[in-house]
Amino acid sequence: MLIVALVAASFLSLAVGSADISLESVWRAIVAYDAADPEHIAIIDKRLPRTVVGIAVGAALGLAGAVAQGLTRNPIADPGLLGISPGASLAVVVGIVAFGVTNPAGYLWFAFAGACIASALVWFIASRGREGATPVKLTLAGAAIGAAATSLVSGLLIARAEALDTMRFWQVGALAGRGFDVLGPIAPFLVAGVVAALFLGRPLNLLALGDDTAAGLGLNVGRTRLLVGAILVVLVGTATAVAGPISFLALVVPHAVRRFTGPDYRWILPYSAPAAAAILLFADVVARIVARPSELQVGIVVAVVGAPVFIALIRRGRAAGL
């Protein structure tokens, strides 16, 4: 069912745009590409790269949300709460202000480096003390680093007005203008992160039982948390570098998936990836329609839809228990 939804979202993403194209033409462009047909050129050269980027970013964020919630045993954990997305945003602002970077391809390595540095700081702070990096300390350290990064971003943007104009579209999350030139350099990291995350089901199930029980069952808790945290950084860093910080997707999707899979991470992880990718593509299609002839940023649509959905899930008690 999720695969069907993802395929449907992909076809809509290829068909809907500034000029709508029939699904029949989309199919013909895929199976019998005609280089002289303007519709085929628009589908393959313009919309296909954006669709592929949406699938990659959505899958990475869906997995990142499930991994973050399993790592911290916190049902409201997401990359923003752990300070990773704010760290990426701060690094991009520094890139704009200090190095004059103005295009998405140039943001890549700044965002990736910012996510890595923020995560390292969170881990360093949380690992102080006898207990090591416990879920509560990770969450608190992430919140502190995230707040500090957000404050620095605000300060830099206020001091440099030209940076605000460049930054504001990236900061809400967008797929417009993202193609293979943006995805290509970071694709190996993203693929490695997705593949590695899909094998975290058993360790996350053991961590959910508590540190003492997990250790009693043979899991090296500290080493596992470090490995899971590294994979989380790769997922969030690559997704944020490509599309900017997209809120709520990583938070909501794992909760929605649990309705069908239960608390077993061996199922939550593989279900979260296609579910998040399909939702992000549907949101991107809506973003192109609601403000024609212009379009909204996909991060705005995801936040508008995700917030009430998450509240509804909590009110119905769907979010209980990991």
Side-chain angles (χ1 to χ4, degrees), residues 64-91:
V67 170
Q69 291 166 15
L71 174 66
T72 61
R73 296 204 297 270
N74 185 341
I76 60 169
D78 75 344
L81 182 66
L82 293 178
I84 303 174
S85 297
S89 297
L90 176 59

Short mmCIF file of all heavy atoms in Angstrom, two decimals, residues 64-91:
data_model
loop_
_atom_site.label_atom_id
_atom_site.label_comp_id
_atom_site.label_asym_id
_atom_site.label_seq_id
_atom_site.Cartn_x
_atom_site.Cartn_y
_atom_site.Cartn_z
N ALA A 64 15.18 9.03 9.88
CA ALA A 64 15.83 9.81 10.94
C ALA A 64 14.90 10.00 12.13
O ALA A 64 15.34 9.93 13.29
CB ALA A 64 16.27 11.17 10.39
N GLY A 65 13.62 10.24 11.87
CA GLY A 65 12.67 10.40 12.96
C GLY A 65 12.55 9.14 13.80
O GLY A 65 12.57 9.19 15.04
N ALA A 66 12.43 7.99 13.12
CA ALA A 66 12.32 6.73 13.85
C ALA A 66 13.59 6.45 14.64
O ALA A 66 13.54 6.01 15.80
CB ALA A 66 12.04 5.59 12.87
N VAL A 67 14.74 6.71 14.04
CA VAL A 67 16.02 6.46 14.72
C VAL A 67 16.18 7.39 15.92
O VAL A 67 16.60 6.96 17.01
CB VAL A 67 17.19 6.64 13.73
CG1 VAL A 67 18.53 6.62 14.48
CG2 VAL A 67 17.17 5.53 12.68
N ALA A 68 15.83 8.67 15.75
CA ALA A 68 15.96 9.63 16.85
C ALA A 68 15.06 9.25 18.02
O ALA A 68 15.47 9.33 19.19
CB ALA A 68 15.62 11.04 16.36
N GLN A 69 13.85 8.83 17.74
CA GLN A 69 12.93 8.46 18.81
C GLN A 69 13.37 7.16 19.50
O GLN A 69 13.20 7.00 20.71
CB GLN A 69 11.51 8.33 18.25
CG GLN A 69 10.94 9.69 17.83
CD GLN A 69 9.71 9.59 16.98
OE1 GLN A 69 9.07 8.54 16.88
NE2 GLN A 69 9.36 10.70 16.32
N GLY A 70 13.93 6.24 18.74
CA GLY A 70 14.44 5.01 19.34
C GLY A 70 15.70 5.26 20.15
O GLY A 70 15.88 4.69 21.23
N LEU A 71 16.59 6.12 19.64
CA LEU A 71 17.85 6.41 20.33
C LEU A 71 17.61 7.07 21.68
O LEU A 71 18.27 6.75 22.67
CB LEU A 71 18.72 7.31 19.44
CG LEU A 71 20.02 7.83 20.06
CD1 LEU A 71 20.98 6.67 20.31
CD2 LEU A 71 20.67 8.86 19.14
N THR A 72 16.67 8.02 21.71
CA THR A 72 16.44 8.79 22.94
C THR A 72 15.29 8.23 23.78
O THR A 72 15.05 8.74 24.87
CB THR A 72 16.11 10.25 22.59
OG1 THR A 72 14.93 10.29 21.79
CG2 THR A 72 17.26 10.89 21.81
N ARG A 73 14.59 7.22 23.25
CA ARG A 73 13.39 6.69 23.90
C ARG A 73 12.43 7.84 24.24
O ARG A 73 11.80 7.87 25.29
CB ARG A 73 13.74 5.91 25.17
CG ARG A 73 14.57 4.67 24.90
CD ARG A 73 14.41 3.62 26.01
NE ARG A 73 14.88 4.08 27.30
CZ ARG A 73 16.13 3.93 27.74
NH1 ARG A 73 17.03 3.35 26.97
NH2 ARG A 73 16.46 4.37 28.93
N ASN A 74 12.36 8.77 23.30
CA ASN A 74 11.54 9.97 23.49
C ASN A 74 10.57 10.07 22.31
O ASN A 74 11.01 10.25 21.16
CB ASN A 74 12.44 11.21 23.55
CG ASN A 74 11.65 12.47 23.86
OD1 ASN A 74 10.43 12.51 23.70
ND2 ASN A 74 12.34 13.49 24.32
N PRO A 75 9.25 9.97 22.55
CA PRO A 75 8.31 9.98 21.43
C PRO A 75 8.19 11.31 20.71
O PRO A 75 7.59 11.36 19.64
CB PRO A 75 6.98 9.60 22.09
CG PRO A 75 7.13 9.97 23.52
CD PRO A 75 8.58 9.77 23.84
N ILE A 76 8.74 12.40 21.27
CA ILE A 76 8.69 13.68 20.56
C ILE A 76 10.07 14.10 20.07
O ILE A 76 10.28 15.26 19.72
CB ILE A 76 8.08 14.79 21.43
CG1 ILE A 76 8.91 15.01 22.70
CG2 ILE A 76 6.63 14.48 21.78
CD1 ILE A 76 8.50 16.27 23.46
N ALA A 77 11.01 13.18 20.04
CA ALA A 77 12.34 13.52 19.54
C ALA A 77 12.31 13.63 18.02
O ALA A 77 11.64 12.85 17.34
CB ALA A 77 13.35 12.45 19.97
N ASP A 78 13.02 14.59 17.51
CA ASP A 78 13.23 14.72 16.07
C ASP A 78 14.54 15.48 15.87
O ASP A 78 15.16 15.93 16.85
CB ASP A 78 12.04 15.39 15.39
CG ASP A 78 11.97 16.88 15.63
OD1 ASP A 78 12.65 17.37 16.55
OD2 ASP A 78 11.22 17.56 14.91
N PRO A 79 15.01 15.61 14.64
CA PRO A 79 16.30 16.28 14.42
C PRO A 79 16.37 17.69 14.98
O PRO A 79 17.44 18.14 15.38
CB PRO A 79 16.42 16.27 12.90
CG PRO A 79 15.63 15.07 12.47
CD PRO A 79 14.46 15.03 13.41
N GLY A 80 15.25 18.39 15.02
CA GLY A 80 15.26 19.74 15.58
C GLY A 80 15.48 19.73 17.07
O GLY A 80 16.28 20.51 17.60
N LEU A 81 14.81 18.83 17.78
CA LEU A 81 14.95 18.75 19.23
C LEU A 81 16.36 18.34 19.63
O LEU A 81 16.88 18.77 20.66
CB LEU A 81 13.93 17.75 19.80
CG LEU A 81 13.94 17.59 21.33
CD1 LEU A 81 13.50 18.89 21.99
CD2 LEU A 81 13.02 16.46 21.76
N LEU A 82 17.01 17.53 18.81
CA LEU A 82 18.37 17.08 19.12
C LEU A 82 19.44 18.07 18.66
O LEU A 82 20.62 17.78 18.76
CB LEU A 82 18.61 15.71 18.46
CG LEU A 82 17.79 14.56 19.05
CD1 LEU A 82 18.06 13.27 18.29
CD2 LEU A 82 18.06 14.38 20.53
N GLY A 83 19.02 19.21 18.13
CA GLY A 83 19.98 20.27 17.78
C GLY A 83 20.64 20.10 16.43
O GLY A 83 21.49 20.92 16.05
N ILE A 84 20.30 19.06 15.68
CA ILE A 84 21.01 18.78 14.44
C ILE A 84 20.59 19.76 13.33
O ILE A 84 21.44 20.35 12.65
CB ILE A 84 20.76 17.33 14.00
CG1 ILE A 84 21.20 16.37 15.11
CG2 ILE A 84 21.53 17.02 12.71
CD1 ILE A 84 20.86 14.92 14.84
N SER A 85 19.27 19.93 13.15
CA SER A 85 18.80 20.87 12.12
C SER A 85 19.22 22.31 12.42
O SER A 85 19.69 23.02 11.52
CB SER A 85 17.28 20.77 11.98
OG SER A 85 16.90 19.49 11.54
N PRO A 86 19.08 22.79 13.68
CA PRO A 86 19.57 24.15 13.96
C PRO A 86 21.06 24.30 13.70
O PRO A 86 21.51 25.35 13.23
CB PRO A 86 19.24 24.34 15.45
CG PRO A 86 18.07 23.45 15.70
CD PRO A 86 18.33 22.25 14.83
N GLY A 87 21.85 23.27 13.98
CA GLY A 87 23.27 23.32 13.70
C GLY A 87 23.55 23.47 12.22
O GLY A 87 24.43 24.24 11.80
N ALA A 88 22.78 22.74 11.40
CA ALA A 88 22.94 22.85 9.95
C ALA A 88 22.56 24.25 9.48
O ALA A 88 23.23 24.84 8.62
CB ALA A 88 22.08 21.80 9.26
N SER A 89 21.48 24.80 10.04
CA SER A 89 21.05 26.14 9.65
C SER A 89 22.11 27.18 9.98
O SER A 89 22.39 28.08 9.19
CB SER A 89 19.74 26.50 10.37
OG SER A 89 18.70 25.63 9.99
N LEU A 90 22.70 27.06 11.17
CA LEU A 90 23.74 28.01 11.57
C LEU A 90 24.93 27.96 10.62
O LEU A 90 25.47 29.00 10.21
CB LEU A 90 24.19 27.70 13.00
CG LEU A 90 25.35 28.56 13.53
CD1 LEU A 90 24.98 30.03 13.51
CD2 LEU A 90 25.74 28.12 14.94
N ALA A 91 25.33 26.74 10.23
CA ALA A 91 26.47 26.62 9.33
C ALA A 91 26.16 27.24 7.97
O ALA A 91 27.04 27.87 7.35
CB ALA A 91 26.85 25.15 9.17
#
